[in-house]
Amino acid sequence: QKEVEQNSGPLSVPEGAIASLNCTYSDRGSQSFFWYRQYSGKSPELIMFIYSNGDKEDGRFTAQLNKASQYVSLLIRDSQPSDSATYLCAVNDRDYGGATNKLIFGTGTLLAVQP
Amino acid sequence: DTEVTQTPKHLVMGMTNKKSLKCEQHMGHRAMYWYKQKAKKPPELMFVYSYEKLSINESVPSRFSPECPNSSLLNLHLHALQPEDSALYLCASSQGRTVKNQPQHFGDGTRLSIL
C-alpha cells in the first residue's frame, strides 16, 4: 500500500514567520511531487511541484525534496493570514498503467497564521 | 476562477433523480479526471480519461458513469445516488504527450447534496 503521510495539524505560526510543512512518502521510485493549497469549501489549487532533489523557489514558497529520505517539504516565508488553509501533499503513482498520472494524496496539514 | 470549468456549482437531488455534472477545459490537455472529496479528507480518484482511454477506480459504484464527448469535455452521469454520495466533486486536467508527472489543475468543484 503506497502512502503519503502528513501531520494533520493545526500548525499555528505568527504572521511574518516561516511555516514549514512536511510530507513523507513510501514509494522510493516516486518521481513527481506536488503541493496544493485548499481553502475550506474550495477546490485544491496547485502551489508548487518538484521533480529533482534540492530546492525549488517561487516567490514566498520553497519546495524541498530529499529522495534518499523520501521526504518533501514546503516552506512559506513571511506567512500571511491569507495563507491559512489546508496544504495537501501529492505524489505520482508510477505504477498506474498507461499515459495517466494517478496522484496519491496525503491527508493534508491545516495551517493557521495568527495576525 | 480556474481554467477547468465545472457546472453546476451546487446540486441538490433526490435519490431517484438522474443528473449530470459537466467539466470542460480549453488548455489542450489530454487527460481529465473526476475526484470525490468528503469533508476533511483528501480527494479520491474516481475516473481518468486519457488519450481516448477510460480508467476506472474499481471501488466506484456503477451509479456513477463518466462520458467523454471530446478531449475537452468530461461529464459525470449520476443515477440513484445514496446520501453518502454527498460530497464535493472535483474535475481536473493535465497536459502533455507523456502525461505522467504533469501537474493536475482542478476546477472549482460541484457541491452535491443527496436528499
Side-chain angles (χ1 to χ4, degrees):
Chain A
Q1 180 79 1
K2 297 173 185 176
E3 294 183 337
V4 175
E5 295 191 354
Q6 297 180 255
N7 188 321
S8 62
L11 172 65
S12 183
V13 300
E15 184 174 354
I18 296 175
S20 178
L21 303 160
N22 305 314
C23 173
T24 58
Y25 58 95
S26 63
D27 183 3
R28 184 170 293 277
S30 295
Q31 300 169 359
S32 309
F33 307 86
F34 307 90
W35 283 101
Y36 288 87
R37 177 176 65 194
Q38 187 170 25
Y39 294 111
S40 181
K42 302 295 185 182
S43 66
E45 174 191 7
L46 181 69
I47 296 297
M48 295 282 290
F49 59 95
I50 187 167
Y51 301 148
S52 304
N53 271 334
D55 295 359
K56 178 181 179 182
E57 186 174 320
D58 183 2
R60 295 188 296 113
F61 299 96
T62 299
Q64 299 176 317
L65 175 61
N66 184 326
K67 289 187 176 181
S69 300
Q70 295 175 235
Y71 177 96
V72 59
S73 63
L74 179 70
L75 302 179
I76 306 175
R77 290 181 298 281
D78 188 24
S79 295
Q80 301 297 309
S82 59
D83 295 325
S84 298
T86 295
Y87 288 80
L88 294 165
C89 174
V91 176
N92 80 295
D93 182 354
R94 66 189 177 103
D95 291 333
Y96 199 68
T100 59
N101 184 18
K102 180 182 178 182
L103 295 179
I104 304 170
F105 282 90
T107 53
T109 297
L110 178 62
L111 173 66
V113 180
Q114 308 299 325
Chain B
D1 288 343
T2 68
E3 295 181 83
V4 177
T5 302
Q6 291 187 240
T7 55
K9 293 190 182 303
H10 302 276
L11 179 62
V12 180
M13 57 187 286
M15 289 189 285
T16 58
N17 292 157
K18 288 184 180 181
K19 295 286 185 183
S20 297
L21 308 184
K22 298 185 184 301
C23 178
E24 185 172 16
Q25 56 89 12
H26 292 290
M27 296 179 282
H29 288 177
R30 297 301 301 273
M32 296 182 72
Y33 312 80
W34 277 110
Y35 289 87
K36 173 184 177 182
Q37 187 177 27
K38 302 284 277 185
K40 300 189 185 303
K41 298 290 187 183
E44 299 173 50
L45 183 65
M46 301 176 72
F47 304 101
V48 181
Y49 197 86
S50 174
Y51 289 89
E52 291 77 47
K53 180 180 177 182
L54 178 67
S55 299
I56 300 171
N57 180 338
E58 294 180 355
S59 68
V60 175
S62 60
R63 55 186 183 266
F64 295 91
S65 59
E67 177 204 12
C68 194
N70 58 58
S71 60
S72 64
L73 287 169
L74 183 64
N75 301 324
L76 184 63
H77 299 301
L78 316 173
H79 174 56
L81 295 194
Q82 302 298 306
E84 62 265 27
D85 297 322
S86 298
L88 180 66
Y89 287 83
L90 297 162
C91 178
S93 69
S94 63
Q95 67 178 5
R97 288 197 64 79
T98 303
V99 294
K100 278 188 183 295
N101 306 330
Q102 299 296 320
Q104 294 182 23
H105 300 268
F106 286 86
D108 289 337
T110 294
R111 178 72 59 185
L112 177 64
S113 298
I114 307 301
L115 301 178

